[in-house]
Amino acid sequence: MLFPEDGCVLYNPEEDNRVYNTKRDFSKTRFLANSGNLFLTVDVESNLYIIDLFSEKRINLPPLDSVEGLFTLKRIGDKDFEEKFTRPSFGYRNQNVVNLRGLLWVDEENKEEYTVVWFFDTGANYITYCKNGEDHYHTIPTYIDVIHRELRGIQ
């Protein structure tokens, strides 16, 4: 992917070296992941969305601070969030969107079915995900010994 002054150029060596051009302005967009021609992006105001680079189709995703589960995020600026454990004894820390990483899966047969995964690449103790139609993100804890603590008593 290249970004000349007047749009975006995509090169696909698997399609006989085909080059795709678009005139859209992506100067204030960061690409996190893709699935085919659909891209998971974050803008300068920390809004996540999926965009088709060759059409006007855009899917707005839930705000980052709509996380539900073991952690919550509170927006404290365009790029900054306060991350809190829902258990008060664990405290909080600040996260910045610069450290945001993501994954995108889109069903090849039904392009309306997708799953988005994101996390902060700064030692966050969770990953988050949402599927099409959901209005918030779910958390999956990733810290050590999570299975024994969260599933205690289940044999």
Side-chain angles (χ1 to χ4, degrees):
M1 184 181 302
L2 301 172
F3 296 98
E5 292 180 22
D6 60 345
C8 175
V9 177
L10 296 170
Y11 167 74
N12 189 348
E14 294 178 1
E15 291 183 12
D16 297 326
N17 297 322
R18 188 165 180 187
V19 175
Y20 297 93
N21 292 299
T22 179
K23 297 294 183 188
R24 299 185 71 144
D25 178 16
F26 294 108
S27 62
K28 296 181 180 176
T29 303
R30 197 170 115 226
F31 294 91
L32 301 176
N34 79 298
S35 181
N37 62 327
L38 297 175
F39 286 75
L40 174 62
T41 61
V42 61
D43 65 17
V44 295
E45 296 174 342
S46 301
N47 298 309
L48 280 177
Y49 56 93
I50 299 170
I51 189 166
D52 183 333
L53 292 183
F54 304 107
S55 74
E56 295 299 316
K57 183 174 181 181
R58 174 179 163 149
I59 302 169
N60 293 317
L61 297 170
L64 293 174
D65 55 359
S66 67
V67 172
E68 292 183 5
L70 297 174
F71 301 87
T72 61
L73 288 176
K74 178 182 174 186
R75 184 182 289 267
I76 56 174
D78 281 345
K79 296 182 185 228
D80 295 306
F81 293 84
E82 181 181 83
E83 173 189 79
K84 283 188 179 179
F85 233 113
T86 53
R87 296 177 185 148
S89 61
F90 287 101
Y92 71 94
R93 70 175 158 187
N94 290 340
Q95 294 286 7
N96 188 292
V97 168
V98 169
N99 300 311
L100 189 69
R101 305 294 180 258
L103 301 167
L104 173 64
W105 174 83
V106 178
D107 188 321
E108 290 182 19
E109 293 179 21
N110 180 1
K111 300 287 185 194
E112 301 299 317
E113 296 282 331
Y114 63 82
T115 301
V116 170
V117 175
W118 63 261
F119 60 96
F120 290 105
D121 192 19
T122 54
N125 294 317
Y126 60 93
I127 60 174
T128 65
Y129 72 93
C130 77
K131 297 178 182 180
N132 51 297
E134 295 183 329
D135 63 354
H136 66 279
Y137 296 96
H138 307 273
T139 58
I140 299 172
T142 59
Y143 50 86
I144 297 172
D145 200 28
V146 67
I147 291 175
H148 299 297
R149 277 188 246 173
E150 299 303 318
L151 302 178
R152 189 178 354 213
I154 298 176
Q155 302 294 329

PDB file of all heavy atoms in Angstrom, residues 22-36:
ATOM      1  N   THR A  22      -7.185   4.482  -5.674  1.00  0.00           N
ATOM      2  CA  THR A  22      -8.348   5.138  -5.098  1.00  0.00           C
ATOM      3  C   THR A  22      -7.979   6.584  -4.803  1.00  0.00           C
ATOM      4  O   THR A  22      -6.820   6.891  -4.549  1.00  0.00           O
ATOM      5  CB  THR A  22      -8.845   4.423  -3.824  1.00  0.00           C
ATOM      6  OG1 THR A  22      -9.963   5.118  -3.301  1.00  0.00           O
ATOM      7  CG2 THR A  22      -7.774   4.334  -2.771  1.00  0.00           C
ATOM      8  N   LYS A  23      -8.939   7.466  -4.830  1.00  0.00           N
ATOM      9  CA  LYS A  23      -8.684   8.898  -4.612  1.00  0.00           C
ATOM     10  C   LYS A  23      -9.019   9.351  -3.194  1.00  0.00           C
ATOM     11  O   LYS A  23      -9.018  10.521  -2.900  1.00  0.00           O
ATOM     12  CB  LYS A  23      -9.503   9.738  -5.605  1.00  0.00           C
ATOM     13  CG  LYS A  23      -9.134   9.493  -7.055  1.00  0.00           C
ATOM     14  CD  LYS A  23      -7.732   9.958  -7.331  1.00  0.00           C
ATOM     15  CE  LYS A  23      -7.369   9.781  -8.794  1.00  0.00           C
ATOM     16  NZ  LYS A  23      -5.993  10.050  -9.048  1.00  0.00           N
ATOM     17  N   ARG A  24      -9.311   8.431  -2.311  1.00  0.00           N
ATOM     18  CA  ARG A  24      -9.688   8.791  -0.942  1.00  0.00           C
ATOM     19  C   ARG A  24      -8.487   9.328  -0.164  1.00  0.00           C
ATOM     20  O   ARG A  24      -7.351   8.927  -0.375  1.00  0.00           O
ATOM     21  CB  ARG A  24     -10.265   7.581  -0.242  1.00  0.00           C
ATOM     22  CG  ARG A  24     -11.527   7.089  -0.955  1.00  0.00           C
ATOM     23  CD  ARG A  24     -12.122   6.004  -0.185  1.00  0.00           C
ATOM     24  NE  ARG A  24     -12.690   6.596   1.011  1.00  0.00           N
ATOM     25  CZ  ARG A  24     -13.808   6.179   1.564  1.00  0.00           C
ATOM     26  NH1 ARG A  24     -14.458   5.191   1.048  1.00  0.00           N
ATOM     27  NH2 ARG A  24     -14.266   6.742   2.657  1.00  0.00           N
ATOM     28  N   ASP A  25      -8.772  10.212   0.779  1.00  0.00           N
ATOM     29  CA  ASP A  25      -7.730  10.799   1.623  1.00  0.00           C
ATOM     30  C   ASP A  25      -7.616   9.977   2.915  1.00  0.00           C
ATOM     31  O   ASP A  25      -8.548   9.939   3.706  1.00  0.00           O
ATOM     32  CB  ASP A  25      -8.078  12.248   1.944  1.00  0.00           C
ATOM     33  CG  ASP A  25      -7.059  12.895   2.867  1.00  0.00           C
ATOM     34  OD1 ASP A  25      -5.942  12.359   3.016  1.00  0.00           O
ATOM     35  OD2 ASP A  25      -7.385  13.943   3.449  1.00  0.00           O
ATOM     36  N   PHE A  26      -6.494   9.334   3.113  1.00  0.00           N
ATOM     37  CA  PHE A  26      -6.259   8.532   4.309  1.00  0.00           C
ATOM     38  C   PHE A  26      -5.170   9.129   5.187  1.00  0.00           C
ATOM     39  O   PHE A  26      -4.571   8.436   6.003  1.00  0.00           O
ATOM     40  CB  PHE A  26      -5.874   7.101   3.916  1.00  0.00           C
ATOM     41  CG  PHE A  26      -6.978   6.355   3.244  1.00  0.00           C
ATOM     42  CD1 PHE A  26      -6.920   6.091   1.887  1.00  0.00           C
ATOM     43  CD2 PHE A  26      -8.080   5.926   3.951  1.00  0.00           C
ATOM     44  CE1 PHE A  26      -7.936   5.400   1.256  1.00  0.00           C
ATOM     45  CE2 PHE A  26      -9.100   5.240   3.341  1.00  0.00           C
ATOM     46  CZ  PHE A  26      -9.038   4.975   1.984  1.00  0.00           C
ATOM     47  N   SER A  27      -4.915  10.411   5.056  1.00  0.00           N
ATOM     48  CA  SER A  27      -3.819  11.042   5.780  1.00  0.00           C
ATOM     49  C   SER A  27      -4.038  11.058   7.299  1.00  0.00           C
ATOM     50  O   SER A  27      -3.075  11.123   8.051  1.00  0.00           O
ATOM     51  CB  SER A  27      -3.591  12.464   5.272  1.00  0.00           C
ATOM     52  OG  SER A  27      -4.740  13.256   5.492  1.00  0.00           O
ATOM     53  N   LYS A  28      -5.281  10.979   7.754  1.00  0.00           N
ATOM     54  CA  LYS A  28      -5.557  11.005   9.190  1.00  0.00           C
ATOM     55  C   LYS A  28      -6.084   9.667   9.680  1.00  0.00           C
ATOM     56  O   LYS A  28      -6.810   9.589  10.659  1.00  0.00           O
ATOM     57  CB  LYS A  28      -6.558  12.117   9.494  1.00  0.00           C
ATOM     58  CG  LYS A  28      -5.989  13.484   9.174  1.00  0.00           C
ATOM     59  CD  LYS A  28      -6.947  14.573   9.482  1.00  0.00           C
ATOM     60  CE  LYS A  28      -6.287  15.904   9.134  1.00  0.00           C
ATOM     61  NZ  LYS A  28      -7.147  17.028   9.307  1.00  0.00           N
ATOM     62  N   THR A  29      -5.682   8.615   8.993  1.00  0.00           N
ATOM     63  CA  THR A  29      -6.163   7.270   9.293  1.00  0.00           C
ATOM     64  C   THR A  29      -4.974   6.343   9.488  1.00  0.00           C
ATOM     65  O   THR A  29      -3.979   6.431   8.788  1.00  0.00           O
ATOM     66  CB  THR A  29      -7.018   6.748   8.115  1.00  0.00           C
ATOM     67  OG1 THR A  29      -8.079   7.659   7.871  1.00  0.00           O
ATOM     68  CG2 THR A  29      -7.585   5.390   8.409  1.00  0.00           C
ATOM     69  N   ARG A  30      -5.098   5.460  10.478  1.00  0.00           N
ATOM     70  CA  ARG A  30      -4.082   4.439  10.683  1.00  0.00           C
ATOM     71  C   ARG A  30      -4.726   3.078  10.439  1.00  0.00           C
ATOM     72  O   ARG A  30      -5.796   2.778  10.952  1.00  0.00           O
ATOM     73  CB  ARG A  30      -3.544   4.506  12.111  1.00  0.00           C
ATOM     74  CG  ARG A  30      -2.237   3.762  12.244  1.00  0.00           C
ATOM     75  CD  ARG A  30      -1.592   4.028  13.593  1.00  0.00           C
ATOM     76  NE  ARG A  30      -1.577   2.764  14.292  1.00  0.00           N
ATOM     77  CZ  ARG A  30      -1.928   2.579  15.546  1.00  0.00           C
ATOM     78  NH1 ARG A  30      -2.340   3.570  16.284  1.00  0.00           N
ATOM     79  NH2 ARG A  30      -1.873   1.402  16.091  1.00  0.00           N
ATOM     80  N   PHE A  31      -4.079   2.265   9.629  1.00  0.00           N
ATOM     81  CA  PHE A  31      -4.587   0.946   9.296  1.00  0.00           C
ATOM     82  C   PHE A  31      -4.054  -0.062  10.304  1.00  0.00           C
ATOM     83  O   PHE A  31      -2.851  -0.148  10.518  1.00  0.00           O
ATOM     84  CB  PHE A  31      -4.167   0.561   7.877  1.00  0.00           C
ATOM     85  CG  PHE A  31      -4.798   1.432   6.835  1.00  0.00           C
ATOM     86  CD1 PHE A  31      -4.161   2.573   6.394  1.00  0.00           C
ATOM     87  CD2 PHE A  31      -6.033   1.119   6.321  1.00  0.00           C
ATOM     88  CE1 PHE A  31      -4.741   3.389   5.437  1.00  0.00           C
ATOM     89  CE2 PHE A  31      -6.636   1.932   5.369  1.00  0.00           C
ATOM     90  CZ  PHE A  31      -5.984   3.064   4.923  1.00  0.00           C
ATOM     91  N   LEU A  32      -4.957  -0.824  10.920  1.00  0.00           N
ATOM     92  CA  LEU A  32      -4.567  -1.806  11.926  1.00  0.00           C
ATOM     93  C   LEU A  32      -4.526  -3.220  11.366  1.00  0.00           C
ATOM     94  O   LEU A  32      -3.708  -4.032  11.786  1.00  0.00           O
ATOM     95  CB  LEU A  32      -5.526  -1.764  13.114  1.00  0.00           C
ATOM     96  CG  LEU A  32      -5.634  -0.435  13.857  1.00  0.00           C
ATOM     97  CD1 LEU A  32      -6.688  -0.526  14.945  1.00  0.00           C
ATOM     98  CD2 LEU A  32      -4.300  -0.039  14.436  1.00  0.00           C
ATOM     99  N   ALA A  33      -5.456  -3.531  10.445  1.00  0.00           N
ATOM    100  CA  ALA A  33      -5.546  -4.897   9.913  1.00  0.00           C
ATOM    101  C   ALA A  33      -6.409  -4.874   8.663  1.00  0.00           C
ATOM    102  O   ALA A  33      -7.073  -3.873   8.370  1.00  0.00           O
ATOM    103  CB  ALA A  33      -6.163  -5.825  10.955  1.00  0.00           C
ATOM    104  N   ASN A  34      -6.394  -5.976   7.948  1.00  0.00           N
ATOM    105  CA  ASN A  34      -7.299  -6.088   6.807  1.00  0.00           C
ATOM    106  C   ASN A  34      -7.747  -7.519   6.613  1.00  0.00           C
ATOM    107  O   ASN A  34      -7.139  -8.454   7.108  1.00  0.00           O
ATOM    108  CB  ASN A  34      -6.654  -5.550   5.520  1.00  0.00           C
ATOM    109  CG  ASN A  34      -5.693  -6.531   4.908  1.00  0.00           C
ATOM    110  OD1 ASN A  34      -4.700  -6.884   5.530  1.00  0.00           O
ATOM    111  ND2 ASN A  34      -5.995  -6.978   3.703  1.00  0.00           N
ATOM    112  N   SER A  35      -8.833  -7.649   5.881  1.00  0.00           N
ATOM    113  CA  SER A  35      -9.364  -8.924   5.426  1.00  0.00           C
ATOM    114  C   SER A  35      -9.850  -8.660   4.017  1.00  0.00           C
ATOM    115  O   SER A  35     -10.884  -8.025   3.828  1.00  0.00           O
ATOM    116  CB  SER A  35     -10.493  -9.397   6.339  1.00  0.00           C
ATOM    117  OG  SER A  35     -10.995 -10.647   5.900  1.00  0.00           O
ATOM    118  N   GLY A  36      -9.067  -9.064   3.029  1.00  0.00           N
ATOM    119  CA  GLY A  36      -9.380  -8.720   1.640  1.00  0.00           C
ATOM    120  C   GLY A  36      -9.255  -7.222   1.447  1.00  0.00           C
ATOM    121  O   GLY A  36      -8.278  -6.613   1.874  1.00  0.00           O
TER     122      GLY A  36
END
